[in-house]
Short mmCIF file of all heavy atoms in Angstrom, two decimals:
data_model
loop_
_atom_site.label_atom_id
_atom_site.label_comp_id
_atom_site.label_asym_id
_atom_site.label_seq_id
_atom_site.Cartn_x
_atom_site.Cartn_y
_atom_site.Cartn_z
N THR Y 599 -208.83 111.94 -35.32
CA THR Y 599 -209.82 111.15 -36.04
C THR Y 599 -209.30 110.79 -37.42
O THR Y 599 -208.91 111.68 -38.18
CB THR Y 599 -211.13 111.94 -36.17
OG1 THR Y 599 -211.56 112.33 -34.88
CG2 THR Y 599 -212.22 111.10 -36.82
N PRO Y 600 -209.29 109.50 -37.81
CA PRO Y 600 -208.78 109.12 -39.13
C PRO Y 600 -209.55 109.77 -40.28
O PRO Y 600 -209.03 109.89 -41.38
CB PRO Y 600 -208.95 107.60 -39.14
CG PRO Y 600 -208.94 107.20 -37.71
CD PRO Y 600 -209.61 108.32 -36.98
N ALA Y 601 -210.81 110.19 -40.04
CA ALA Y 601 -211.61 110.82 -41.09
C ALA Y 601 -211.32 112.31 -41.22
O ALA Y 601 -212.01 113.01 -41.96
CB ALA Y 601 -213.09 110.59 -40.83
N ILE Y 602 -210.31 112.82 -40.48
CA ILE Y 602 -209.89 114.22 -40.58
C ILE Y 602 -208.46 114.25 -41.13
O ILE Y 602 -207.61 113.48 -40.70
CB ILE Y 602 -209.94 114.91 -39.21
CG1 ILE Y 602 -211.38 114.95 -38.69
CG2 ILE Y 602 -209.38 116.32 -39.30
CD1 ILE Y 602 -211.49 115.55 -37.30
N ARG Y 603 -208.22 115.16 -42.07
CA ARG Y 603 -206.91 115.20 -42.74
C ARG Y 603 -206.53 116.65 -43.04
O ARG Y 603 -207.39 117.45 -43.42
CB ARG Y 603 -207.01 114.39 -44.03
CG ARG Y 603 -205.72 114.21 -44.81
CD ARG Y 603 -206.05 113.75 -46.21
NE ARG Y 603 -206.88 114.73 -46.90
CZ ARG Y 603 -207.54 114.49 -48.02
NH1 ARG Y 603 -207.51 113.29 -48.58
NH2 ARG Y 603 -208.26 115.45 -48.60
N PRO Y 604 -205.27 117.03 -42.90
CA PRO Y 604 -204.87 118.41 -43.19
C PRO Y 604 -205.07 118.76 -44.67
O PRO Y 604 -204.92 117.92 -45.55
CB PRO Y 604 -203.38 118.43 -42.82
CG PRO Y 604 -203.17 117.25 -41.94
CD PRO Y 604 -204.15 116.22 -42.39
N ARG Y 605 -205.40 120.04 -44.94
CA ARG Y 605 -205.41 120.54 -46.31
C ARG Y 605 -203.97 120.70 -46.77
O ARG Y 605 -203.15 121.30 -46.07
CB ARG Y 605 -206.13 121.88 -46.41
CG ARG Y 605 -207.58 121.84 -46.02
CD ARG Y 605 -208.23 123.21 -46.24
NE ARG Y 605 -208.55 123.45 -47.66
CZ ARG Y 605 -208.69 124.65 -48.20
NH1 ARG Y 605 -208.50 125.73 -47.46
NH2 ARG Y 605 -209.01 124.79 -49.47
N ILE Y 606 -203.67 120.21 -47.95
CA ILE Y 606 -202.29 120.21 -48.44
C ILE Y 606 -202.15 121.17 -49.61
O ILE Y 606 -203.05 121.32 -50.43
CB ILE Y 606 -201.84 118.79 -48.84
CG1 ILE Y 606 -200.34 118.74 -49.09
CG2 ILE Y 606 -202.62 118.28 -50.04
CD1 ILE Y 606 -199.80 117.34 -49.28
N VAL Y 607 -201.01 121.86 -49.65
CA VAL Y 607 -200.64 122.73 -50.76
C VAL Y 607 -199.61 122.00 -51.60
O VAL Y 607 -198.59 121.53 -51.08
CB VAL Y 607 -200.06 124.06 -50.26
CG1 VAL Y 607 -199.72 124.98 -51.43
CG2 VAL Y 607 -201.03 124.75 -49.30
N ILE Y 608 -199.84 121.88 -52.91
CA ILE Y 608 -198.92 121.18 -53.80
C ILE Y 608 -198.57 122.09 -54.97
O ILE Y 608 -199.45 122.58 -55.68
CB ILE Y 608 -199.51 119.86 -54.33
CG1 ILE Y 608 -199.85 118.92 -53.18
CG2 ILE Y 608 -198.54 119.19 -55.30
CD1 ILE Y 608 -200.49 117.62 -53.62
N ASN Y 609 -197.27 122.31 -55.18
CA ASN Y 609 -196.79 123.00 -56.37
C ASN Y 609 -196.24 121.94 -57.32
O ASN Y 609 -195.41 121.11 -56.92
CB ASN Y 609 -195.71 124.02 -56.03
CG ASN Y 609 -195.13 124.69 -57.26
OD1 ASN Y 609 -194.22 124.18 -57.89
ND2 ASN Y 609 -195.66 125.85 -57.60
N PHE Y 610 -196.69 121.94 -58.57
CA PHE Y 610 -196.30 120.88 -59.49
C PHE Y 610 -196.17 121.43 -60.91
O PHE Y 610 -196.71 122.48 -61.26
CB PHE Y 610 -197.34 119.75 -59.48
CG PHE Y 610 -198.66 120.13 -60.11
CD1 PHE Y 610 -198.97 119.76 -61.41
CD2 PHE Y 610 -199.60 120.87 -59.40
CE1 PHE Y 610 -200.17 120.11 -61.99
CE2 PHE Y 610 -200.82 121.23 -59.98
CZ PHE Y 610 -201.10 120.85 -61.28
N VAL Y 611 -195.45 120.67 -61.71
CA VAL Y 611 -195.34 120.93 -63.15
C VAL Y 611 -196.03 119.79 -63.86
O VAL Y 611 -195.70 118.62 -63.63
CB VAL Y 611 -193.87 121.03 -63.60
CG1 VAL Y 611 -193.79 121.21 -65.11
CG2 VAL Y 611 -193.18 122.18 -62.89
N PRO Y 612 -197.04 120.06 -64.69
CA PRO Y 612 -197.76 118.98 -65.38
C PRO Y 612 -196.80 118.11 -66.20
O PRO Y 612 -195.79 118.59 -66.73
CB PRO Y 612 -198.75 119.72 -66.30
CG PRO Y 612 -198.93 121.05 -65.66
CD PRO Y 612 -197.60 121.38 -65.03
N GLY Y 613 -197.12 116.82 -66.28
CA GLY Y 613 -196.29 115.90 -67.03
C GLY Y 613 -196.56 115.95 -68.52
O GLY Y 613 -197.50 116.61 -68.99
N SER Y 614 -195.73 115.26 -69.27
CA SER Y 614 -195.92 115.17 -70.72
C SER Y 614 -197.13 114.30 -71.04
O SER Y 614 -197.47 113.40 -70.27
CB SER Y 614 -194.67 114.57 -71.37
OG SER Y 614 -193.53 115.35 -71.08
N PRO Y 615 -197.79 114.56 -72.17
CA PRO Y 615 -198.94 113.73 -72.55
C PRO Y 615 -198.53 112.27 -72.70
O PRO Y 615 -197.37 111.96 -72.98
CB PRO Y 615 -199.38 114.34 -73.89
CG PRO Y 615 -198.82 115.72 -73.89
CD PRO Y 615 -197.54 115.65 -73.13
N CYS Y 616 -199.48 111.37 -72.51
CA CYS Y 616 -199.19 109.95 -72.61
C CYS Y 616 -198.81 109.57 -74.04
O CYS Y 616 -199.18 110.24 -75.01
CB CYS Y 616 -200.39 109.11 -72.15
SG CYS Y 616 -201.94 109.47 -72.98
N THR Y 617 -198.06 108.47 -74.15
CA THR Y 617 -197.61 107.97 -75.45
C THR Y 617 -198.79 107.43 -76.24
O THR Y 617 -199.60 106.66 -75.71
CB THR Y 617 -196.56 106.88 -75.27
OG1 THR Y 617 -195.46 107.41 -74.51
CG2 THR Y 617 -196.05 106.37 -76.60
N PHE Y 618 -198.87 107.81 -77.53
CA PHE Y 618 -200.00 107.41 -78.37
C PHE Y 618 -199.46 106.69 -79.60
O PHE Y 618 -198.76 107.28 -80.39
CB PHE Y 618 -200.79 108.66 -78.80
CG PHE Y 618 -202.06 108.37 -79.54
CD1 PHE Y 618 -203.23 108.07 -78.86
CD2 PHE Y 618 -202.09 108.38 -80.94
CE1 PHE Y 618 -204.41 107.81 -79.55
CE2 PHE Y 618 -203.25 108.12 -81.63
CZ PHE Y 618 -204.41 107.84 -80.94
N PRO Y 619 -199.72 105.38 -79.76
CA PRO Y 619 -200.49 104.51 -78.86
C PRO Y 619 -199.66 104.08 -77.66
O PRO Y 619 -198.43 104.10 -77.72
CB PRO Y 619 -200.82 103.32 -79.76
CG PRO Y 619 -199.67 103.25 -80.71
CD PRO Y 619 -199.29 104.68 -80.99
N PRO Y 620 -200.32 103.68 -76.56
CA PRO Y 620 -199.59 103.29 -75.35
C PRO Y 620 -199.01 101.87 -75.46
O PRO Y 620 -199.43 101.08 -76.31
CB PRO Y 620 -200.66 103.35 -74.27
CG PRO Y 620 -201.92 103.02 -74.99
CD PRO Y 620 -201.78 103.62 -76.37
N ALA Y 621 -198.07 101.59 -74.58
CA ALA Y 621 -197.51 100.23 -74.44
C ALA Y 621 -197.78 99.76 -73.03
O ALA Y 621 -197.41 100.44 -72.07
CB ALA Y 621 -196.02 100.24 -74.74
N ALA Y 622 -198.45 98.61 -72.88
CA ALA Y 622 -198.93 98.17 -71.57
C ALA Y 622 -197.89 97.41 -70.76
O ALA Y 622 -198.02 97.29 -69.54
CB ALA Y 622 -200.19 97.31 -71.73
N GLY Y 623 -196.88 96.85 -71.39
CA GLY Y 623 -195.85 96.14 -70.63
C GLY Y 623 -196.33 94.81 -70.07
O GLY Y 623 -197.15 94.11 -70.67
N THR Y 624 -195.85 94.49 -68.87
CA THR Y 624 -196.10 93.18 -68.26
C THR Y 624 -196.75 93.36 -66.89
O THR Y 624 -196.34 94.21 -66.10
CB THR Y 624 -194.79 92.40 -68.09
OG1 THR Y 624 -194.18 92.24 -69.38
CG2 THR Y 624 -195.03 91.03 -67.47
N SER Y 625 -197.77 92.56 -66.61
CA SER Y 625 -198.44 92.60 -65.31
C SER Y 625 -197.57 91.97 -64.24
O SER Y 625 -196.87 90.98 -64.48
CB SER Y 625 -199.78 91.84 -65.37
OG SER Y 625 -200.58 92.31 -66.42
N THR Y 626 -197.61 92.53 -63.02
CA THR Y 626 -196.93 91.95 -61.87
C THR Y 626 -197.92 91.84 -60.71
O THR Y 626 -198.89 92.60 -60.64
CB THR Y 626 -195.73 92.79 -61.42
OG1 THR Y 626 -196.18 94.08 -60.98
CG2 THR Y 626 -194.74 92.97 -62.56
N ALA Y 627 -197.68 90.90 -59.82
CA ALA Y 627 -198.55 90.70 -58.65
C ALA Y 627 -197.69 90.36 -57.44
O ALA Y 627 -196.74 89.57 -57.55
CB ALA Y 627 -199.56 89.60 -58.91
N SER Y 628 -198.04 90.93 -56.29
CA SER Y 628 -197.31 90.64 -55.05
C SER Y 628 -198.29 90.57 -53.88
O SER Y 628 -198.97 91.57 -53.60
CB SER Y 628 -196.25 91.72 -54.80
OG SER Y 628 -195.56 91.47 -53.58
N PRO Y 629 -198.37 89.38 -53.24
CA PRO Y 629 -197.77 88.11 -53.65
C PRO Y 629 -198.55 87.50 -54.80
O PRO Y 629 -199.67 87.90 -55.08
CB PRO Y 629 -197.90 87.26 -52.37
CG PRO Y 629 -199.12 87.80 -51.68
CD PRO Y 629 -199.13 89.28 -51.97
N SER Y 630 -197.95 86.50 -55.45
CA SER Y 630 -198.61 85.87 -56.59
C SER Y 630 -198.98 84.41 -56.33
O SER Y 630 -199.59 83.77 -57.17
CB SER Y 630 -197.71 85.94 -57.83
OG SER Y 630 -196.48 85.26 -57.60
N SER Y 631 -198.63 83.88 -55.17
CA SER Y 631 -198.96 82.49 -54.83
C SER Y 631 -199.05 82.34 -53.33
O SER Y 631 -198.62 83.22 -52.57
CB SER Y 631 -197.90 81.53 -55.39
OG SER Y 631 -196.63 81.79 -54.82
N GLY Y 632 -199.65 81.22 -52.89
CA GLY Y 632 -199.78 80.94 -51.47
C GLY Y 632 -200.78 81.81 -50.76
O GLY Y 632 -200.75 81.95 -49.53
N LEU Y 633 -201.71 82.43 -51.50
CA LEU Y 633 -202.69 83.32 -50.89
C LEU Y 633 -203.92 82.56 -50.43
O LEU Y 633 -204.23 81.47 -50.92
CB LEU Y 633 -203.13 84.40 -51.88
CG LEU Y 633 -202.11 85.44 -52.29
CD1 LEU Y 633 -201.48 85.04 -53.61
CD2 LEU Y 633 -202.77 86.79 -52.45
N CYS Y 634 -204.65 83.18 -49.52
CA CYS Y 634 -205.97 82.71 -49.12
C CYS Y 634 -207.01 83.65 -49.71
O CYS Y 634 -206.72 84.80 -50.05
CB CYS Y 634 -206.11 82.70 -47.60
SG CYS Y 634 -204.89 81.68 -46.74
N VAL Y 635 -208.23 83.16 -49.83
CA VAL Y 635 -209.32 84.00 -50.31
C VAL Y 635 -209.48 85.21 -49.38
O VAL Y 635 -209.51 85.06 -48.16
CB VAL Y 635 -210.64 83.20 -50.39
CG1 VAL Y 635 -211.81 84.12 -50.68
CG2 VAL Y 635 -210.54 82.12 -51.45
N GLY Y 636 -209.56 86.40 -49.96
CA GLY Y 636 -209.70 87.62 -49.19
C GLY Y 636 -208.40 88.33 -48.89
O GLY Y 636 -208.41 89.50 -48.48
N GLN Y 637 -207.26 87.65 -49.08
CA GLN Y 637 -205.98 88.30 -48.82
C GLN Y 637 -205.69 89.32 -49.91
O GLN Y 637 -205.98 89.12 -51.08
CB GLN Y 637 -204.86 87.24 -48.79
CG GLN Y 637 -203.50 87.79 -48.40
CD GLN Y 637 -202.45 86.70 -48.28
OE1 GLN Y 637 -202.79 85.51 -48.15
NE2 GLN Y 637 -201.19 87.07 -48.33
N SER Y 638 -205.09 90.45 -49.54
CA SER Y 638 -204.83 91.53 -50.49
C SER Y 638 -203.65 91.21 -51.39
O SER Y 638 -202.63 90.67 -50.95
CB SER Y 638 -204.56 92.84 -49.75
OG SER Y 638 -205.72 93.29 -49.08
N ILE Y 639 -203.79 91.56 -52.66
CA ILE Y 639 -202.70 91.46 -53.62
C ILE Y 639 -202.49 92.84 -54.24
O ILE Y 639 -203.43 93.60 -54.43
CB ILE Y 639 -202.97 90.41 -54.71
CG1 ILE Y 639 -204.31 90.68 -55.41
CG2 ILE Y 639 -202.93 89.02 -54.15
CD1 ILE Y 639 -204.58 89.75 -56.57
N THR Y 640 -201.24 93.16 -54.54
CA THR Y 640 -200.90 94.41 -55.20
C THR Y 640 -200.59 94.12 -56.65
O THR Y 640 -199.64 93.40 -56.96
CB THR Y 640 -199.70 95.08 -54.53
OG1 THR Y 640 -200.01 95.37 -53.16
CG2 THR Y 640 -199.34 96.40 -55.22
N LEU Y 641 -201.39 94.67 -57.55
CA LEU Y 641 -201.19 94.52 -58.99
C LEU Y 641 -200.48 95.76 -59.52
O LEU Y 641 -200.81 96.88 -59.14
CB LEU Y 641 -202.52 94.33 -59.71
CG LEU Y 641 -203.35 93.11 -59.30
CD1 LEU Y 641 -204.71 93.12 -60.00
CD2 LEU Y 641 -202.60 91.81 -59.62
N ASP Y 642 -199.53 95.56 -60.44
CA ASP Y 642 -198.78 96.68 -60.99
C ASP Y 642 -198.28 96.29 -62.38
O ASP Y 642 -198.52 95.16 -62.85
CB ASP Y 642 -197.61 97.04 -60.08
CG ASP Y 642 -197.20 98.50 -60.19
OD1 ASP Y 642 -197.58 99.15 -61.19
OD2 ASP Y 642 -196.52 99.00 -59.28
N LEU Y 643 -197.60 97.21 -63.04
CA LEU Y 643 -197.06 96.98 -64.37
C LEU Y 643 -195.57 97.27 -64.39
O LEU Y 643 -195.07 98.10 -63.61
CB LEU Y 643 -197.75 97.89 -65.40
CG LEU Y 643 -199.24 97.65 -65.67
CD1 LEU Y 643 -199.77 98.73 -66.60
CD2 LEU Y 643 -199.46 96.27 -66.27
N SER Y 644 -194.86 96.62 -65.29
CA SER Y 644 -193.46 96.93 -65.55
C SER Y 644 -193.29 97.09 -67.06
O SER Y 644 -193.99 96.46 -67.84
CB SER Y 644 -192.53 95.84 -65.02
OG SER Y 644 -192.76 94.62 -65.71
#
């Protein structure tokens, strides 16, 4: 069943605090043209 998922164990080391003040960089989109209404786009930063 897709609504059932194994319990996962994760060992991790916390990351460093975020840069203050932050730098947002540049937005990216894939795809960025030739889309139809309702088609999924992936937004990200660089």
Side-chain angles (χ1 to χ4, degrees):
T599 304
I602 297 176
R603 185 196 60 194
R605 298 184 78 203
I606 191 171
V607 181
I608 300 178
N609 176 275
F610 70 100
V611 176
S614 302
C616 55
T617 302
F618 186 83
T624 302
S625 306
T626 64
S628 178
S630 60
S631 62
L633 292 97
C634 303
V635 171
Q637 185 175 342
S638 293
I639 54 175
T640 300
L641 300 174
D642 208 342
L643 294 174
S644 65

